[in-house]
Amino acid sequence: MSKPSEQASRISSINNQTLTELLGQMTLDEKIAQLLQLAVPFYEGAEGDGLITGPMESLGISEETVRNSGSVLGMAGAAETINVQRVHLQNNRLGIPLLMMADIVHGFKTIFPVPLAIGCSWDLELAEQSAVIAAKEASVSGVHVTYAPMVDLVRDPRWGRVMESTGEDPYLNSEFGRAFVRGFQGTDLANDMDRVAACVKHFAAYGAAEGGRDYNTVDMSERQLREFYLPAYKAALDEGCEMVMTSFNTVDGIPATGNSNLMRKLLREEWGFDGILISDWGAVKELIAHGIAADESEAAQKAIQAGVDIEMMTSCYAKHLSELVENKEVDVALIDEAVMRILTLKQKLGLFDNPYRAADPEREKEIVFCDAHREAARELAVKSCVLLKNEDVLPLKRNGKIALIGPFAQSGDLLGPWSWTGSKEDVVQLADAMKSKLNSSAELVVAAGCDFETATEAQWVEALAAAEAADVIVLALGEHSDMSGEAGSRANIQLPEVQLELIRKLEELGKPIAVVLFNGRPLDLHGVYDKVDAILEAWFPGSEGGLAVADLLFGDANPSGRLTMSFPFSVGQIPVYYNAFNTGRPQGAPDAQVKYVSQYLDIPNEPLYPFGYGLSYSLFDYSEAQISSDIMTADQSIKIAVKLTNKGEVAGEETVQLYVRDISGEVVRPLKELKDFRKITLQPGESCEVEFELSESQLRYYHSDLKHYSDAGAFVAYVGPNSKVNTELPFKLTK
Ligand code: BGC
């Protein structure tokens, strides 16, 4: 067996040829094999000899096809990836290296908060930094491409995958999408070995699955698609994102993976995307179940014609493309084009020069989960938590007796979905983190109270005893990580009944209760917000989440997160989101006597906690906002300013938000749209002037002809702490 260095020199001879020449040397079968991507079980890793061992028969393909495949899914670890690459190169006639792709979604070994939580930080720099660190750890472990960022716009918290997105706003999702791409890729993938290529997903509109049920139908007008759902994918591509992944859903009646209108026309022709388009897991073959292909051959034909380059985890291409070419049903040029894109990314990543790239078992030990990375994860976790309610309970005092109760008190399940490379054993648990904060006169009593969905009598008894003896109760509740994420849709998005029961039992004691929530979606908080004194939404905060939460609970840090997805009042309102349209009727409060208004008879229209909302231990005061002119022209922007003062007793960070409403559009316009924001840190008593500049380009939208431009006419701007701000600053756009 040759050593990595010998292999590398064999490969560099290929580097002197152009990729086109390389393509010219490939047989049709070798080309088609490049388009196949299989997961780790097909390869024997570091323990073995790196050979292919997986269940090829189940896919109906030969070992030779797998040997010639172009990429691997879900492999990580320097020793393992080096081994697999080395054996692959020995067996590959032309010595074309494998691309190692994996889901590094919110951290590699150092796990950051889930993306929805990162969104709530409104902190683009820290978001970028989290991707820089994830890329560095992944890269040294042999990963070349991450399947991130996921930028699907989400409005339905029943959908378990909302935790992978940064929320319900197209502008914010675009900014985060860009930040993640910058962090993962840097600016020079060929030379910056600490970066990985990014793959934006899931194209397109996966977040709009009907009923919030995963994989379900998506159907919407093209105008809606372009206005709300597409901008974040486009932003990621504008930032240079190398790859795109298809979504599982239909778009206008055609599953995305076989949708030429979406992929060929829009993504490739209109947007000019020339990178690799990969199917989602099994999505090519799923064209059959969707009902647009009779068999695997037709599925392969539709997907390649739609522009899908790599087929993930099924073998429609491997089994049928050759015959489809022979029968002239697929133009071989489509296959050449797909292979060229794959070879081009390999070249861009420097794999022809060094197929092992940054993989290095020694350096891996130094870098992965190092202290500096963990510190960054803690900082971002602190910024991601959202204080939803606080009636004189938080921050906690460091003396006296605290009862910490709940299934998350001593749980390592703080990483959340899509953290397969992380380890629950590394997580700093909340109880340990809280203990480290107490002084000698204080006591922390810990009891589970219940498991996630069940409880024993002994658990109740223990919890009640702990609570009775305490001055204050901290309840660590939520959803375990399998209750969200892929295939984690829920129709009832309240806390599991047993946890609500725990709250009811403890409430009877009449002691102050602060709830910390760990979960992957906005919840229906009935049975929580109406029964407890404080709620801190911690999401799945990652490896250092326990410490971050303890920092916030004891006031060593001040909560600054702001929701980027509305918390519904009840599941019956869903979808409920801030940038909705008005109706022709007044929006009512529940009142059965008032007929013919747009209301529910039983619940308010408003969400429980709106987009942009979050409390702080500081008290921020907004002076009356000023607008520099009530006329904006195409080349003359306007300025909007507000004086912000911290009237509280501790330093804190506020997120000042700028919204706009277009009063009279050609098509109806949202009641508010986020246009800009600033994060401002103020000491107690300190003030500062926060100024925004608003220009014509920010007022553009998709008209009924699908063209993107602004309308002259009346607008209203709003500056404030969340999307409920209602002080109007009218202005006009003249053209
Ligand atoms: C998910 C993708 C993921 C892929 C590979 C799919 O099931 O939808 O988000 O990237 O698996 O793991």
Side-chain angles (χ1 to χ4, degrees):
M1 226 178 258
S2 58
K3 300 258 161 35
S5 53
E6 293 164 28
Q7 279 299 329
S9 59
R10 187 164 83 85
I11 296 304
S12 56
S13 63
I14 288 174
N15 196 33
N16 299 332
Q17 305 169 4
T18 65
L19 294 182
T20 317
E21 282 167 10
L22 179 58
L23 185 73
Q25 290 172 25
M26 295 170 77
T27 64
L28 182 59
D29 284 347
E30 283 169 339
K31 290 177 185 171
I32 293 169
Q34 280 292 315
L35 314 185
L36 172 69
Q37 179 170 109
L38 298 175
V40 166
F42 285 86
Y43 301 83
E44 234 181 55
E47 301 297 312
D49 53 10
L51 283 171
I52 290 157
T53 58
M56 266 85 62
E57 317 75 55
S58 64
L59 290 174
I61 50 177
S62 67
E63 188 174 322
E64 196 185 343
T65 305
V66 181
R67 192 177 297 138
N68 285 321
S69 67
S71 54
V72 182
L73 161 62
M75 189 175 292
E80 178 162 0
T81 50
I82 288 174
N83 218 20
V84 168
Q85 185 76 288
R86 189 189 57 199
V87 175
H88 169 81
L89 289 169
Q90 278 164 2
N91 293 323
N92 185 281
R93 186 176 72 91
L94 293 166
I96 302 174
L98 280 168
L99 268 172
M100 306 283 181
M101 308 197 187
D103 294 272
I104 311 303
V105 175
H106 53 110
F108 181 75
K109 193 83 174 165
T110 307
I111 301 295
F112 289 85
V114 292
L116 186 58
I118 296 180
C120 293
S121 74
W122 295 57
D123 195 321
L124 300 171
E125 272 169 39
L126 288 185
E128 181 175 338
Q129 187 58 19
S130 74
V132 169
I133 290 171
K136 196 167 177 179
E137 293 192 358
S139 185
V140 76
S141 303
V143 174
H144 307 142
V145 176
T146 176
Y147 297 133
M150 184 278 215
V151 298
D152 303 333
L153 184 122
V154 288
R155 291 174 170 175
D156 192 332
R158 291 171 298 183
W159 194 46
R161 303 196 77 166
V162 301
M163 48 67 51
E164 289 174 59
S165 161
T166 47
E168 71 190 34
D169 185 66
Y171 162 69
L172 213 50
N173 287 358
S174 300
E175 292 298 303
F176 275 107
R178 283 177 180 274
F180 288 131
V181 170
R182 281 196 301 274
F184 286 130
Q185 295 194 164
T187 49
D188 184 9
L189 271 178
N191 294 307
D192 188 350
M193 296 293 153
D194 286 341
R195 307 293 181 131
V196 294
C199 174
V200 66
K201 66 189 188 185
H202 306 83
F203 196 72
Y206 185 25
E210 282 180 3
R213 179 159 56 83
D214 207 357
Y215 316 116
N216 205 6
T217 304
V218 170
D219 204 351
M220 66 176 72
S221 70
E222 186 174 344
R223 218 193 60 73
Q224 173 88 346
L225 184 72
R226 285 182 182 265
E227 171 121 19
F228 293 99
Y229 288 84
L230 295 185
Y233 308 105
K234 178 71 165 55
L237 295 177
D238 289 345
E239 201 62 41
C241 187
E242 292 289 345
M243 283 182 55
V244 174
M245 185 186 292
T246 70
S247 56
F248 289 120
N249 53 280
T250 53
V251 174
D252 201 10
I254 305 176
T257 309
N259 194 326
S260 292
N261 295 333
L262 186 68
M263 303 300 181
R264 282 258 169 232
K265 288 207 190 118
L266 196 145
L267 179 67
R268 296 248 189 250
E269 288 168 23
E270 187 182 321
W271 290 3
F273 174 67
D274 197 28
I276 298 173
L277 175 62
I278 187 170
S279 82
D280 202 346
W281 179 296
V284 174
K285 192 168 171 184
E286 285 179 16
L287 298 181
I288 302 171
H290 271 294
I292 68 155
D295 51 27
E296 290 189 14
S297 173
E298 194 177 0
Q301 184 184 10
K302 290 210 162 166
I304 194 93
Q305 283 171 347
V308 175
D309 301 312
I310 299 181
E311 178 180 4
M312 188 198 291
M313 288 310 290
T314 48
S315 50
C316 305
Y317 280 11
K319 286 198 303 205
H320 301 285
L321 276 184
S322 165
E323 195 184 59
L324 286 165
V325 169
E326 257 166 51
N327 296 343
K328 306 225 173 324
E329 285 167 291
V330 163
D331 186 345
V332 73
L334 292 182
I335 294 170
D336 286 351
E337 183 184 293
V339 175
M340 267 313 269
R341 290 193 191 108
I342 296 166
L343 297 179
T344 303
L345 184 60
K346 290 179 180 184
Q347 188 187 50
K348 210 174 209 177
L349 286 161
L351 294 179
F352 287 111
D353 293 325
N354 175 9
Y356 309 100
R357 208 163 178 268
D360 180 340
E362 286 310 309
R363 201 166 159 253
E364 183 182 37
K365 282 189 212 130
E366 278 164 40
I367 290 180
V368 167
F369 206 58
C370 65
D371 289 348
H373 291 181
R374 295 177 64 182
E375 197 41 53
R378 178 175 178 171
E379 191 185 353
L380 188 46
V382 164
K383 301 266 177 176
S384 301
C385 295
V386 186
L387 184 63
L388 297 176
K389 177 173 181 179
N390 189 19
E391 287 173 2
D392 302 326
V393 184
L394 298 178
L396 298 171
K397 297 185 184 63
R398 280 166 212 267
N399 45 28
K401 275 193 171 175
I402 303 170
L404 172 63
I405 299 171
F408 274 104
Q410 288 179 297
S411 167
D413 193 13
L414 306 190
L415 302 180
W418 291 116
S419 53
W420 61 286
T421 38
S423 131
K424 286 186 183 172
E425 287 70 49
D426 291 336
V427 167
V428 183
Q429 298 185 359
L430 182 57
D432 295 334
M434 286 178 70
K435 272 184 201 145
S436 70
K437 300 270 179 192
L438 296 175
N439 63 28
S440 56
S441 62
E443 198 185 331
L444 183 80
V445 185
V446 183
C450 60
D451 297 324
F452 287 105
E453 293 176 274
T454 54
T456 63
E457 193 54 36
Q459 284 175 320
W460 292 132
V461 171
E462 187 197 15
L464 282 169
E468 263 164 23
D471 305 317
V472 58
I473 302 165
V474 176
L475 274 177
L477 307 176
E479 300 175 309
H480 62 71
S481 50
D482 288 339
M483 292 170 84
S484 58
E486 186 173 353
S489 296
R490 294 180 69 203
N492 171 3
I493 56 169
Q494 287 191 283
L495 285 180
E497 177 51 32
V498 72
Q499 297 187 38
L500 297 174
E501 174 74 21
L502 180 64
I503 294 179
R504 289 195 292 271
K505 282 185 193 293
L506 295 173
E507 187 204 9
E508 285 171 17
L509 301 177
K511 305 208 171 184
I513 302 180
V515 168
V516 183
L517 291 170
F518 298 91
N519 49 286
R521 57 160 61 77
L523 296 167
D524 169 348
L525 288 178
H526 278 89
V528 186
Y529 88 97
D530 43 352
K531 300 207 174 299
V532 306
D533 307 282
I535 305 174
L536 180 68
E537 175 55 77
W539 309 107
F540 286 111
S543 313
E544 307 301 302
L547 286 166
V549 169
D551 287 342
L552 292 164
L553 288 177
F554 286 102
D556 290 337
N558 189 348
S560 61
R562 302 288 180 261
L563 297 178
T564 56
M565 192 174 178
S566 308
F567 269 55
F569 184 86
S570 102
V571 83
Q573 288 178 324
I574 294 172
V576 61
Y577 49 94
Y578 89 96
N579 43 4
F581 302 132
N582 213 3
T583 68
R585 294 293 171 102
Q587 307 254 355
D591 182 350
Q593 305 311 311
V594 184
K595 297 297 271 182
Y596 312 115
V597 299
S598 184
Q599 67 173 2
Y600 295 102
L601 296 179
D602 47 357
I603 58 165
N605 289 358
E606 300 300 327
L608 183 62
Y609 298 118
F611 177 87
Y613 171 84
L615 303 173
S616 161
Y617 297 152
S618 309
L619 195 66
F620 292 104
D621 178 75
Y622 285 73
S623 72
E624 211 175 297
Q626 309 288 331
I627 190 160
S628 63
S629 163
D630 56 7
I631 302 287
M632 180 197 280
T633 63
D635 43 22
Q636 189 79 55
S637 58
I638 56 172
K639 294 202 169 105
I640 292 158
V642 74
K643 188 172 160 205
L644 182 72
T645 306
N646 180 355
K647 294 203 164 160
E649 284 162 16
V650 289
E653 189 176 42
E654 171 68 329
T655 302
V656 182
Q657 300 161 34
L658 173 70
Y659 296 90
V660 164
R661 179 176 179 192
D662 185 341
I663 296 299
S664 153
E666 185 248 351
V667 296
V668 295
R669 309 297 307 130
L671 285 163
K672 278 196 188 94
E673 291 176 274
L674 181 74
K675 293 296 173 187
D676 205 349
F677 63 93
R678 296 262 192 294
K679 286 179 74 75
I680 307 285
T681 300
L682 292 178
Q683 298 301 317
E686 197 186 352
S687 296
C688 96
E689 170 128 316
V690 184
E691 192 179 78
F692 295 96
E693 189 164 346
L694 190 66
S695 65
E696 179 276 332
S697 64
Q698 289 164 283
L699 306 180
R700 296 178 193 167
Y701 67 93
Y702 285 94
H703 288 64
S704 57
D705 59 4
L706 302 181
K707 301 237 165 67
H708 195 241
Y709 56 91
S710 62
D711 295 329
F715 291 80
V716 174
Y718 307 83
V719 195
N722 62 59
S723 61
K724 285 284 110 205
V725 51
N726 56 17
T727 311
E728 302 193 343
L729 300 164
F731 69 94
K732 280 202 166 61
L733 173 67
T734 59
K735 286 195 160 179

Short mmCIF file of all heavy atoms in Angstrom, two decimals, residues 130-169:
data_model
loop_
_atom_site.label_atom_id
_atom_site.label_comp_id
_atom_site.label_asym_id
_atom_site.label_seq_id
_atom_site.Cartn_x
_atom_site.Cartn_y
_atom_site.Cartn_z
N SER A 130 -18.84 31.14 13.88
CA SER A 130 -19.21 29.74 14.17
C SER A 130 -18.93 28.86 12.95
O SER A 130 -18.49 27.71 13.08
CB SER A 130 -20.68 29.63 14.60
OG SER A 130 -21.55 29.77 13.50
N ALA A 131 -19.16 29.42 11.76
CA ALA A 131 -18.90 28.66 10.54
C ALA A 131 -17.39 28.53 10.28
O ALA A 131 -16.93 27.50 9.79
CB ALA A 131 -19.60 29.32 9.35
N VAL A 132 -16.64 29.56 10.63
CA VAL A 132 -15.18 29.48 10.48
C VAL A 132 -14.66 28.31 11.33
O VAL A 132 -13.86 27.49 10.87
CB VAL A 132 -14.51 30.80 10.95
CG1 VAL A 132 -13.00 30.64 11.07
CG2 VAL A 132 -14.85 31.95 10.00
N ILE A 133 -15.15 28.24 12.56
CA ILE A 133 -14.67 27.20 13.48
C ILE A 133 -15.15 25.82 13.03
O ILE A 133 -14.38 24.85 13.02
CB ILE A 133 -15.13 27.52 14.91
CG1 ILE A 133 -14.35 28.74 15.41
CG2 ILE A 133 -14.95 26.33 15.84
CD1 ILE A 133 -14.83 29.32 16.73
N ALA A 134 -16.41 25.75 12.62
CA ALA A 134 -16.94 24.47 12.14
C ALA A 134 -16.11 23.99 10.94
O ALA A 134 -15.75 22.81 10.84
CB ALA A 134 -18.40 24.62 11.75
N ALA A 135 -15.78 24.92 10.04
CA ALA A 135 -15.01 24.56 8.85
C ALA A 135 -13.62 24.08 9.24
O ALA A 135 -13.11 23.09 8.71
CB ALA A 135 -14.91 25.76 7.92
N LYS A 136 -13.02 24.77 10.18
CA LYS A 136 -11.65 24.42 10.58
C LYS A 136 -11.61 23.01 11.19
O LYS A 136 -10.75 22.19 10.85
CB LYS A 136 -11.18 25.46 11.61
CG LYS A 136 -9.71 25.47 11.84
CD LYS A 136 -9.32 26.72 12.60
CE LYS A 136 -7.83 26.70 12.90
NZ LYS A 136 -7.38 27.88 13.60
N GLU A 137 -12.56 22.74 12.06
CA GLU A 137 -12.58 21.42 12.69
C GLU A 137 -12.93 20.33 11.67
O GLU A 137 -12.35 19.24 11.68
CB GLU A 137 -13.59 21.39 13.84
CG GLU A 137 -13.20 22.28 15.02
CD GLU A 137 -14.03 22.03 16.28
OE1 GLU A 137 -14.96 21.20 16.24
OE2 GLU A 137 -13.74 22.68 17.31
N ALA A 138 -13.88 20.65 10.79
CA ALA A 138 -14.30 19.64 9.80
C ALA A 138 -13.17 19.38 8.81
O ALA A 138 -12.89 18.24 8.44
CB ALA A 138 -15.55 20.13 9.07
N SER A 139 -12.51 20.44 8.40
CA SER A 139 -11.48 20.32 7.38
C SER A 139 -10.30 19.48 7.87
O SER A 139 -9.81 18.61 7.15
CB SER A 139 -11.05 21.73 6.98
OG SER A 139 -10.15 21.65 5.93
N VAL A 140 -9.87 19.73 9.08
CA VAL A 140 -8.73 18.97 9.60
C VAL A 140 -9.13 17.50 9.80
O VAL A 140 -8.28 16.62 9.86
CB VAL A 140 -8.18 19.63 10.89
CG1 VAL A 140 -9.07 19.33 12.09
CG2 VAL A 140 -6.75 19.20 11.16
N SER A 141 -10.43 17.27 9.87
CA SER A 141 -10.92 15.90 10.01
C SER A 141 -11.24 15.28 8.65
O SER A 141 -11.85 14.22 8.60
CB SER A 141 -12.16 15.87 10.89
OG SER A 141 -11.86 16.44 12.14
N GLY A 142 -10.89 15.98 7.60
CA GLY A 142 -10.99 15.38 6.28
C GLY A 142 -12.23 15.70 5.48
O GLY A 142 -12.44 15.17 4.40
N VAL A 143 -13.07 16.60 5.98
CA VAL A 143 -14.29 16.96 5.24
C VAL A 143 -13.96 18.07 4.24
O VAL A 143 -13.19 18.98 4.55
CB VAL A 143 -15.40 17.44 6.22
CG1 VAL A 143 -16.62 17.94 5.48
CG2 VAL A 143 -15.77 16.31 7.18
N HIS A 144 -14.54 17.98 3.03
CA HIS A 144 -14.29 19.00 2.01
C HIS A 144 -15.48 19.92 1.76
O HIS A 144 -15.32 21.05 1.32
CB HIS A 144 -13.93 18.35 0.67
CG HIS A 144 -12.81 17.37 0.76
ND1 HIS A 144 -12.78 16.19 0.04
CD2 HIS A 144 -11.67 17.39 1.49
CE1 HIS A 144 -11.67 15.54 0.33
NE2 HIS A 144 -10.98 16.23 1.20
N VAL A 145 -16.67 19.35 1.97
CA VAL A 145 -17.90 20.11 1.65
C VAL A 145 -18.87 19.93 2.80
O VAL A 145 -19.07 18.82 3.28
CB VAL A 145 -18.59 19.55 0.38
CG1 VAL A 145 -19.91 20.27 0.12
CG2 VAL A 145 -17.69 19.65 -0.84
N THR A 146 -19.49 21.03 3.24
CA THR A 146 -20.57 20.87 4.22
C THR A 146 -21.92 21.15 3.57
O THR A 146 -22.06 22.06 2.76
CB THR A 146 -20.40 21.79 5.44
OG1 THR A 146 -21.56 21.62 6.28
CG2 THR A 146 -20.27 23.26 5.09
N TYR A 147 -22.90 20.35 3.96
CA TYR A 147 -24.27 20.59 3.49
C TYR A 147 -24.90 21.66 4.36
O TYR A 147 -25.80 21.40 5.17
CB TYR A 147 -25.09 19.31 3.58
CG TYR A 147 -24.60 18.20 2.70
CD1 TYR A 147 -24.47 16.91 3.20
CD2 TYR A 147 -24.29 18.41 1.37
CE1 TYR A 147 -24.04 15.88 2.41
CE2 TYR A 147 -23.85 17.39 0.57
CZ TYR A 147 -23.72 16.12 1.09
OH TYR A 147 -23.29 15.10 0.31
N ALA A 148 -24.46 22.85 4.21
CA ALA A 148 -24.98 24.00 4.95
C ALA A 148 -24.52 25.25 4.19
O ALA A 148 -23.52 25.16 3.45
CB ALA A 148 -24.43 24.00 6.37
N PRO A 149 -25.16 26.37 4.30
CA PRO A 149 -26.26 26.64 5.21
C PRO A 149 -27.62 26.19 4.67
O PRO A 149 -27.83 26.14 3.47
CB PRO A 149 -26.23 28.17 5.31
CG PRO A 149 -25.74 28.61 3.97
CD PRO A 149 -24.76 27.56 3.53
N MET A 150 -28.51 25.89 5.60
CA MET A 150 -29.90 25.64 5.26
C MET A 150 -30.58 26.99 5.44
O MET A 150 -30.50 27.59 6.50
CB MET A 150 -30.45 24.59 6.24
CG MET A 150 -31.87 24.17 5.96
SD MET A 150 -33.12 25.29 6.61
CE MET A 150 -34.39 24.15 7.06
N VAL A 151 -31.19 27.50 4.40
CA VAL A 151 -31.77 28.84 4.48
C VAL A 151 -33.27 28.84 4.18
O VAL A 151 -33.82 29.87 3.78
CB VAL A 151 -31.03 29.84 3.55
CG1 VAL A 151 -29.58 29.98 3.95
CG2 VAL A 151 -31.15 29.44 2.08
N ASP A 152 -33.92 27.70 4.36
CA ASP A 152 -35.35 27.64 4.05
C ASP A 152 -36.12 28.60 4.96
O ASP A 152 -35.98 28.54 6.19
CB ASP A 152 -35.88 26.21 4.26
CG ASP A 152 -35.12 25.18 3.42
OD1 ASP A 152 -34.60 25.56 2.35
OD2 ASP A 152 -35.05 24.02 3.83
N LEU A 153 -36.93 29.45 4.37
CA LEU A 153 -37.76 30.35 5.16
C LEU A 153 -38.85 29.53 5.86
O LEU A 153 -39.45 28.67 5.23
CB LEU A 153 -38.39 31.41 4.25
CG LEU A 153 -39.20 32.47 4.99
CD1 LEU A 153 -38.63 33.86 4.67
CD2 LEU A 153 -40.66 32.43 4.60
N VAL A 154 -39.07 29.80 7.13
CA VAL A 154 -39.99 28.95 7.90
C VAL A 154 -41.08 29.76 8.59
O VAL A 154 -40.81 30.81 9.18
CB VAL A 154 -39.22 28.11 8.94
CG1 VAL A 154 -38.42 27.01 8.26
CG2 VAL A 154 -38.30 28.95 9.81
N ARG A 155 -42.28 29.24 8.48
CA ARG A 155 -43.42 29.91 9.12
C ARG A 155 -44.27 28.93 9.93
O ARG A 155 -45.30 29.32 10.45
CB ARG A 155 -44.32 30.52 8.03
CG ARG A 155 -43.68 31.68 7.32
CD ARG A 155 -44.54 32.16 6.17
NE ARG A 155 -44.04 33.41 5.65
CZ ARG A 155 -44.54 34.01 4.58
NH1 ARG A 155 -45.54 33.46 3.93
NH2 ARG A 155 -44.04 35.16 4.18
N ASP A 156 -43.85 27.69 9.94
CA ASP A 156 -44.69 26.68 10.57
C ASP A 156 -43.89 25.89 11.59
O ASP A 156 -43.14 24.98 11.24
CB ASP A 156 -45.25 25.74 9.48
CG ASP A 156 -46.35 24.86 10.03
OD1 ASP A 156 -46.33 24.56 11.25
OD2 ASP A 156 -47.22 24.45 9.24
N PRO A 157 -44.07 26.23 12.88
CA PRO A 157 -43.26 25.57 13.90
C PRO A 157 -43.60 24.09 14.11
O PRO A 157 -42.89 23.40 14.83
CB PRO A 157 -43.53 26.39 15.17
CG PRO A 157 -44.81 27.09 14.91
CD PRO A 157 -44.92 27.29 13.44
N ARG A 158 -44.65 23.62 13.47
CA ARG A 158 -44.88 22.17 13.55
C ARG A 158 -43.78 21.42 12.81
O ARG A 158 -43.47 20.29 13.12
CB ARG A 158 -46.26 21.81 12.94
CG ARG A 158 -47.42 22.31 13.75
CD ARG A 158 -48.73 22.14 13.02
NE ARG A 158 -48.77 22.91 11.77
CZ ARG A 158 -49.82 22.99 10.98
NH1 ARG A 158 -50.92 22.34 11.28
NH2 ARG A 158 -49.79 23.73 9.87
N TRP A 159 -43.23 22.06 11.80
CA TRP A 159 -42.16 21.44 11.01
C TRP A 159 -40.90 21.33 11.86
O TRP A 159 -40.39 22.34 12.36
CB TRP A 159 -41.89 22.29 9.77
CG TRP A 159 -41.07 21.61 8.72
CD1 TRP A 159 -41.22 20.34 8.24
CD2 TRP A 159 -39.95 22.17 8.01
NE1 TRP A 159 -40.27 20.09 7.28
CE2 TRP A 159 -39.48 21.18 7.12
CE3 TRP A 159 -39.30 23.41 8.04
CZ2 TRP A 159 -38.40 21.40 6.26
CZ3 TRP A 159 -38.23 23.61 7.18
CH2 TRP A 159 -37.79 22.62 6.30
N GLY A 160 -40.40 20.12 12.01
CA GLY A 160 -39.26 19.91 12.91
C GLY A 160 -37.98 20.59 12.44
O GLY A 160 -37.07 20.83 13.23
N ARG A 161 -37.92 20.89 11.15
CA ARG A 161 -36.67 21.42 10.61
C ARG A 161 -36.55 22.93 10.74
O ARG A 161 -35.57 23.50 10.26
CB ARG A 161 -36.50 20.97 9.15
CG ARG A 161 -36.52 19.47 9.01
CD ARG A 161 -35.98 18.97 7.69
NE ARG A 161 -34.53 19.03 7.67
CZ ARG A 161 -33.77 18.41 6.75
NH1 ARG A 161 -34.35 17.71 5.79
NH2 ARG A 161 -32.47 18.51 6.79
N VAL A 162 -37.51 23.57 11.39
CA VAL A 162 -37.36 25.02 11.59
C VAL A 162 -36.08 25.31 12.38
O VAL A 162 -35.48 26.37 12.25
CB VAL A 162 -38.58 25.68 12.29
CG1 VAL A 162 -39.84 25.47 11.48
CG2 VAL A 162 -38.77 25.16 13.71
N MET A 163 -35.63 24.34 13.17
CA MET A 163 -34.40 24.57 13.96
C MET A 163 -33.15 24.71 13.10
O MET A 163 -32.13 25.20 13.56
CB MET A 163 -34.18 23.49 15.03
CG MET A 163 -34.30 22.04 14.66
SD MET A 163 -33.10 21.27 13.55
CE MET A 163 -31.54 21.68 14.24
N GLU A 164 -33.24 24.28 11.83
CA GLU A 164 -32.08 24.39 10.93
C GLU A 164 -32.01 25.72 10.22
O GLU A 164 -31.03 26.02 9.55
CB GLU A 164 -32.15 23.29 9.86
CG GLU A 164 -31.89 21.91 10.37
CD GLU A 164 -32.12 20.87 9.28
OE1 GLU A 164 -31.45 20.93 8.24
OE2 GLU A 164 -32.99 19.99 9.48
N SER A 165 -33.10 26.48 10.30
CA SER A 165 -33.19 27.74 9.58
C SER A 165 -33.00 28.90 10.56
O SER A 165 -33.09 28.71 11.76
CB SER A 165 -34.59 27.83 8.95
OG SER A 165 -34.92 29.15 8.61
N THR A 166 -32.75 30.09 10.00
CA THR A 166 -32.66 31.22 10.93
C THR A 166 -34.00 31.95 11.07
O THR A 166 -34.06 32.98 11.74
CB THR A 166 -31.54 32.20 10.51
OG1 THR A 166 -31.65 32.47 9.11
CG2 THR A 166 -30.17 31.62 10.80
N GLY A 167 -35.07 31.46 10.45
CA GLY A 167 -36.37 32.00 10.79
C GLY A 167 -37.26 32.44 9.65
O GLY A 167 -37.16 31.94 8.53
N GLU A 168 -38.13 33.40 9.96
CA GLU A 168 -39.25 33.74 9.06
C GLU A 168 -39.01 34.98 8.21
O GLU A 168 -39.92 35.41 7.50
CB GLU A 168 -40.54 33.89 9.87
CG GLU A 168 -40.61 35.12 10.76
CD GLU A 168 -41.80 35.11 11.74
OE1 GLU A 168 -42.19 34.04 12.22
OE2 GLU A 168 -42.32 36.20 12.03
N ASP A 169 -37.83 35.55 8.27
CA ASP A 169 -37.63 36.80 7.54
C ASP A 169 -36.65 36.64 6.38
O ASP A 169 -35.52 36.20 6.58
CB ASP A 169 -37.09 37.87 8.49
CG ASP A 169 -37.00 39.19 7.77
OD1 ASP A 169 -38.07 39.73 7.41
OD2 ASP A 169 -35.88 39.66 7.51
#
